[in-house]
Amino acid sequence: MSSQSAQKHITLSTLNRIRADGRKFACLTAYDACFAGLLNDAGVEVILVGDSLGMVLQGHDNTLPVTMADMVYHVQCVKRGNSTAFLMADMPFMSYSSETETLENAAALMRAGAEMVKLEGGAWLASSTQLLAERGIPVCVHMGLTPQSINRIGGYLVQGRDPIQAENMVNEALQLQEAGASILLLECVPAALARRITETLDIPVIGIGAGADTTGQVLVLHDLLGISPIRPKFVKNFLAESDSGIAGAIKAYTDAVKGGTFPAAEHSFD
């Protein structure tokens, strides 16, 4: 019996139990069936089919050119190679700008194999979150540095350092939980703020550049392997330290997240 077939499929209930038990879970991006299988073998609980594919696969400067057709295609690819991980998919830029678009595009991703959709924004997403949740579509809301808003933000900048902005972020996170968000993802926020939000909410919180105290951690696969053109502070090249190639690097990341050794202080923001 293979290691994959011996494992049960991770569900949202599994992730909630991990949170309740005070444990950690690992999340990684994947965009094809081959890497989905490697992530399964390593014990990664959540696979994110991210619009980061626009940068690491398509060569764009940002995620904005990624289309719904791109996302559906890659979700289908990952679905075929995935047997154990919970599968989450990004809603790409402007795919949830109206109620009709939100429902149609989220449904397309779920039909392709996603088990949750991820939207970027703050409290303004409460109505969309409620709309989707009421119709049986689990929602992850991505807060902090939101790459789809990069032109408004003015760069890839840490969010929440200002006390007023931090307080607003806590309040907005609570509003989104109340609206029906099942997971919150925090990117590039001070570790202390991420800890506060994680302790305040009753749902799992995934961090990337958000310190070590969130329930889960996520990285872009290509960052973990050291082959991305951009290498942010919160990234660690696990392949450089691996004696077992790519599979070993993915397993090292997974073990480090679950063991609490990644991220370390040098991967976090004050």
Side-chain angles (χ1 to χ4, degrees):
M1 180 179 291
S2 71
S3 60
Q4 289 186 29
S5 62
Q7 299 175 29
K8 293 183 178 180
H9 188 84
I10 302 294
T11 67
L12 187 54
S13 294
T14 312
L15 302 178
N16 282 319
R17 285 197 300 272
I18 290 172
R19 177 196 170 277
D21 292 342
R23 294 180 287 130
K24 306 284 186 180
F25 64 79
C27 176
L28 270 176
T29 65
Y31 315 100
D32 61 40
C34 181
F35 273 108
L38 289 179
L39 269 58
N40 284 179
D41 289 339
V44 172
E45 284 89 353
V46 181
I47 292 177
L48 170 62
V49 184
D51 59 2
S52 49
L53 67 88
M55 301 176 75
V56 299
L57 297 188
Q58 297 175 336
H60 296 299
D61 293 333
N62 53 54
T63 64
L64 304 188
V66 177
T67 66
M68 270 301 302
D70 294 332
M71 293 304 305
V72 167
Y73 171 77
H74 285 281
V75 170
Q76 291 171 333
C77 291
V78 171
K79 171 65 175 178
R80 296 185 192 108
N82 177 51
S83 60
T84 60
F86 186 70
L87 185 54
M88 179 163 60
D90 273 338
M91 299 272 287
F93 179 63
M94 293 300 288
S95 66
Y96 43 101
S97 59
S98 71
E99 181 175 306
T100 299
E101 288 178 317
T102 299
L103 290 173
E104 290 180 351
N105 290 326
L109 291 173
M110 298 294 283
R111 293 189 188 103
E115 296 166 278
M116 170 176 277
V117 297
K118 180 165 75 65
L119 291 69
E120 294 185 12
W124 64 272
L125 286 173
S127 59
S128 298
T129 299
Q130 183 174 357
L131 182 73
L132 292 170
E134 286 177 346
R135 286 155 179 79
I137 299 178
V139 176
C140 172
V141 178
H142 181 154
M143 296 181 65
L145 172 58
T146 48
Q148 292 177 13
S149 302
I150 196 65
N151 290 316
R152 176 183 60 79
I153 294 172
Y156 293 93
L157 307 174
V158 178
Q159 303 295 301
R161 280 179 165 155
D162 176 83
I164 295 176
Q165 186 187 38
E167 194 65 31
N168 287 339
M169 199 175 296
V170 174
N171 292 332
E172 291 188 19
L174 284 166
Q175 291 178 52
L176 290 161
Q177 176 180 263
E178 181 65 24
S182 295
I183 293 179
L184 190 77
L185 189 149
L186 295 174
E187 180 171 358
C188 288
V189 303
L193 175 58
R195 182 187 313 115
R196 180 183 171 193
I197 293 174
T198 302
E199 292 173 349
T200 299
L201 298 186
D202 298 320
I203 58 176
V205 177
I206 298 174
I208 177 168
D213 296 310
T214 55
T215 317
Q217 296 290 333
V218 63
L219 281 181
V220 172
L221 178 63
H222 293 62
D223 290 346
L224 175 152
L225 299 177
I227 57 175
S228 294
I230 300 174
R231 299 183 183 179
K233 173 182 177 177
F234 54 78
V235 168
K236 178 178 178 179
N237 182 347
F238 282 86
L239 183 59
E241 300 178 3
S242 173
D243 295 326
S244 305
I246 290 174
I250 295 170
K251 185 65 165 62
Y253 162 77
T254 306
D255 291 346
V257 169
K258 296 179 184 181
T261 60
F262 179 82
E266 63 264 29
H267 308 116
S268 305
F269 300 99
D270 296 327

